[in-house]
Amino acid sequence: EIVLTQSPGTLSLSPGERATLSCRASQSVTSSYLAWYQQKPGQAPSLLIYAASSRATGIPDRFSGGGSGTDFTLTISRLEAEDFAVYYCQQFGSSPYTFGQGTKLEIK
Amino acid sequence: QVQLVESGGGVVQPGRSLRLSCVVSGFTFSNYGMHWVRQAPGKGLEWVAVIWYDGSNKYYGDSVRGRFTISRDDSKNTLYLQVNSLRAEDTAIYYCARAGISGTAIIDYWGQGTLVTVSS
């Protein structure tokens, strides 16, 4: 099983700042099979990034993804109020299709 | 528009069974693989199971393998999850989700979930 470790667990930032979230895999993941999701309280998750760096439909360009192999990042260039949420990475390279434990992005 | 609507959750005693359903609309169901993902109260996401678009392959998470069964009925645009031998740790919101990114199993749409509570 591929274990995904996200860091930090909680990130406290102010609107307008840059956020960098990390997702590290216990073994190499093909970039095509790495996704990021955003989840707001009381809502289902929604797709942000797929194939490590491709934005899903309707996702603003302040969200970007990168990385390869075992290290992946999600960057939000200038935080807006609606970006404060929990973010998860997930790998689809091999079953079970594991999630990271999540990073909570909170307002400082 | 793509819609996924789960049902079948509720309060159930430990050891009992339940069948969850997910009715989809807005896309050709038979062309897509489908997942179940769950989230215990206040916890993170846990992937549960996937079924290929044609039903030819099914995979499960370690904690549910042997107790849960994923299936689909394309004539009814419905995805199912049969959950047996329920335990307290199975208490969660269960989401169905579409594997919609071409050539991958990546989830692109989620339902709103159905809550399963296992309690005596």
Side-chain angles (χ1 to χ4, degrees):
Chain A
E1 169 177 322
I2 297 177
V3 176
L4 299 181
T5 302
Q6 292 186 239
S7 61
T10 302
L11 186 56
S12 300
L13 293 170
S14 301
E17 291 192 292
R18 180 185 186 91
T20 302
L21 287 65
S22 172
C23 176
R24 180 162 290 177
S26 60
Q27 54 189 280
S28 184
V29 175
T30 302
S31 296
S32 299
Y33 303 136
L34 194 286
W36 289 91
Y37 300 92
Q38 178 191 67
Q39 187 178 32
K40 298 180 180 179
Q43 297 184 16
S46 60
L47 178 64
L48 285 175
I49 300 287
Y50 65 94
S53 60
S54 297
R55 277 186 299 276
T57 303
I59 300 303
D61 61 7
R62 65 179 182 274
F63 290 90
S64 62
S68 64
T70 60
D71 289 293
F72 298 90
T73 58
L74 173 69
T75 301
I76 311 170
S77 59
R78 294 172 307 280
L79 286 166
E80 298 194 4
E82 63 264 30
D83 300 336
F84 292 92
V86 181
Y87 293 84
Y88 296 93
C89 58
Q90 186 184 14
Q91 66 81 22
F92 293 86
S94 65
S95 178
Y97 297 142
T98 46
F99 286 93
Q101 82 279 18
T103 290
K104 182 180 182 180
L105 181 55
E106 64 177 25
I107 299 177
K108 186 174 182 180
Chain B
Q1 70 280 23
V2 173
Q3 287 194 311
L4 303 90
V5 180
E6 302 93 336
S7 62
V11 180
V12 59
Q13 293 179 327
R16 303 297 292 267
S17 299
L18 212 56
R19 188 176 79 161
L20 308 182
S21 301
C22 171
V23 176
V24 311
S25 59
F27 64 99
T28 303
F29 181 58
S30 59
N31 288 348
Y32 290 87
M34 297 293 295
H35 298 264
W36 287 99
V37 175
R38 69 184 182 181
Q39 186 169 36
K43 302 298 184 182
L45 301 170
E46 180 184 11
W47 178 78
V48 172
V50 65
I51 184 168
W52 255 221
Y53 74 98
D54 58 358
S56 61
N57 286 295
K58 304 174 185 180
Y59 299 106
Y60 298 91
D62 292 345
S63 63
V64 307
R65 191 178 297 115
R67 297 189 300 124
F68 289 12
T69 302
I70 189 170
S71 62
R72 62 190 299 154
D73 185 339
D74 290 351
S75 69
K76 296 182 178 179
N77 283 353
T78 302
L79 176 73
Y80 300 102
L81 186 69
Q82 179 68 39
V83 298
N84 297 332
S85 303
L86 281 161
R87 307 165 180 168
E89 55 265 35
D90 296 318
T91 294
I93 297 172
Y94 285 74
Y95 296 102
C96 72
R98 188 180 84 166
I101 302 299
S102 180
T104 78
I106 292 177
I107 294 169
D108 63 346
Y109 283 96
W110 300 68
Q112 285 305 302
T114 187
L115 177 62
V116 174
T117 303
V118 183
S119 174
S120 55

